[in-house]
Amino acid sequence: MERMTKLTTEDYHPDTTNLDLMSIAEIVRLMHEEDQKIPQAIAKVLPEIEQAIMAVVHALKNGGRLFYVGAGTSGRIGLLDAVECPPTFSTPPKLVQAILAGGSEAVMIAIEGAEDDLSLGRQELERQCLTNLDIVIGIAASGRTPFVKGALNYAQQIGAKTISLVSNARSIISENVDIAIEVITGPEILTGSTRLKAATAHKQILNMITTSTMVKLGKVYKNLMVDVHASNFKLRERAKQIVCEVTGVSYFQAEQVLEQTNYQVKLAIVMSLTNTVLEEATTLLAQSEGHVRRAVELRKL
């Protein structure tokens, strides 16, 4: 392993050597200025992000699953993104998963030594019965975390697609992966605290990956969450608003058609736009692989 002191994320920031002497206003202003560098860093890796999204779309369309693997903050960022997919896009909980070094207990409390074990990453993916249909994204700001490297090594061995998401160039975990996303955000104002710029950049990139993927899987119509899982009052109200917005029906009519579809928004929209009953709308959506726009066009043929 390369020495931590050689990593960009471990460098001393030249403007914050007196951080402990700065006023609150000065610290906040400096942090804000540093955060402006994040979109610039992401802009440089947009081609790699696009490649990653294309790979994820292909995997999920063909029966695969997406795994985020990370330790500490990196693992928690993966978890944040993964757990939002079922309510936002009605995906099965196991379609997008996060694997943290140390397991679920590591969400709240750091599990000492877990991230340094190369074999644990492999074991966690074996436990999930990883196959060559799946895709694994290893997240590590340093680009050297053994837990993540072990997981990627195993994924590569069985033929699963692999992607690295790191904040240092030419990182260890990027070796031999199919796609390397190395977003260089530079030294942190608090030396080595990659929960700052590096983590923020990584979360933004994961937002891009899952949102774009779900758009391409037909879970978005126009810019609306038409596959939202209406599991509570707020989301049921959102479902009604979406149906009203897309179809022009009244609030009462939207409520009626959603009750017929068990609050499946896509079905309600297709029924309303094509003037079909539930069974026919279901068939149209199946034929269009879940894409509302295609389902409506099929009815016109």
Side-chain angles (χ1 to χ4, degrees):
M1 294 288 183
E2 63 182 306
R3 293 178 59 190
M4 293 287 285
T5 51
K6 290 183 179 180
L7 304 177
T8 303
T9 49
E10 296 295 323
D11 281 350
Y12 289 98
H13 195 297
D15 298 331
T16 64
T17 53
N18 292 321
L19 186 64
D20 58 329
L21 300 177
M22 291 181 180
S23 67
I24 292 174
E26 289 172 329
I27 295 171
V28 170
R29 188 178 304 110
L30 181 58
M31 290 186 73
H32 179 64
E33 290 172 357
E34 283 297 303
D35 284 345
Q36 306 312 303
K37 298 177 182 179
I38 296 170
Q40 300 170 21
I42 293 175
K44 295 178 181 177
V45 293
L46 288 178
E48 289 80 8
I49 296 171
E50 180 185 4
Q51 291 174 32
I53 294 166
M54 292 171 65
V56 173
V57 169
H58 181 269
L60 300 193
K61 271 188 174 181
N62 290 278
R65 298 164 294 171
L66 168 60
F67 289 93
Y68 293 136
V69 180
T73 299
S74 295
R76 296 183 189 104
I77 286 172
L79 179 64
L80 277 176
D81 198 63
V83 299
E84 288 298 330
C85 288
T88 307
F89 303 110
S90 291
T91 57
K94 292 189 176 182
L95 187 69
V96 182
Q97 300 182 48
I99 294 179
L100 283 69
S104 57
E105 293 180 8
V107 174
M108 299 298 294
I109 302 171
I111 307 299
E112 299 297 334
E115 69 177 70
D116 294 328
D117 193 326
L118 194 73
S119 66
L120 283 181
R122 177 192 181 110
Q123 290 173 22
E124 288 297 330
L125 288 181
E126 287 178 330
R127 191 173 288 116
Q128 297 302 323
C129 300
L130 189 79
T131 76
N132 60 2
L133 297 176
D134 298 322
I135 187 162
V136 178
I137 300 181
I139 311 168
S142 67
R144 62 178 297 282
T145 308
F147 177 85
V148 179
K149 180 62 176 172
L152 288 171
N153 285 349
Y154 175 63
Q156 289 161 1
Q157 288 170 17
I158 68 168
K161 202 82 168 178
T162 54
I163 299 169
S164 64
L165 177 56
V166 304
S167 293
N168 283 284
R170 298 177 297 280
S171 71
I172 289 173
I173 74 165
S174 291
E175 294 174 355
N176 304 316
V177 297
D178 296 296
I179 302 164
I181 304 174
E182 298 184 327
V183 54
I184 313 303
T185 48
E188 305 285 2
I189 71 153
L190 182 63
T191 306
S193 184
T194 51
R195 68 186 182 85
L196 302 176
K197 287 186 300 183
T200 301
H202 290 179
K203 181 60 175 75
Q204 290 186 15
I205 291 170
L206 296 190
N207 288 346
M208 292 177 179
I209 290 172
T210 46
T211 302
S212 300
T213 294
M214 297 305 165
V215 169
K216 294 303 177 184
L217 292 179
K219 294 181 174 295
V220 174
Y221 176 57
K222 297 186 175 180
N223 63 348
L224 300 169
M225 290 187 288
V226 293
D227 242 346
V228 63
H229 180 50
S231 58
N232 58 38
F233 176 78
K234 181 190 78 172
L235 295 178
R236 285 191 292 274
E237 288 301 299
R238 178 178 294 166
K240 295 170 193 174
Q241 291 169 7
I242 290 171
V243 174
C244 290
E245 172 74 22
V246 172
T247 68
V249 302
S250 68
Y251 177 90
F252 177 69
Q253 290 171 316
E255 186 174 49
Q256 282 188 315
V257 71
L258 281 165
E259 286 176 355
Q260 292 180 53
T261 68
N262 195 27
Y263 274 82
Q264 294 180 69
V265 178
K266 288 200 292 192
L267 267 176
I269 290 172
V270 174
M271 286 176 65
S272 299
L273 289 180
T274 62
N275 194 29
T276 53
V277 296
L278 179 62
E279 291 77 12
E280 188 174 357
T282 301
T283 300
L284 287 170
L285 271 174
Q287 291 173 342
S288 65
E289 298 182 323
H291 291 260
V292 170
R293 196 180 297 273
R294 293 181 199 166
V296 173
E297 290 172 351
L298 278 175
R299 176 62 175 171
K300 295 176 182 178
L301 296 176

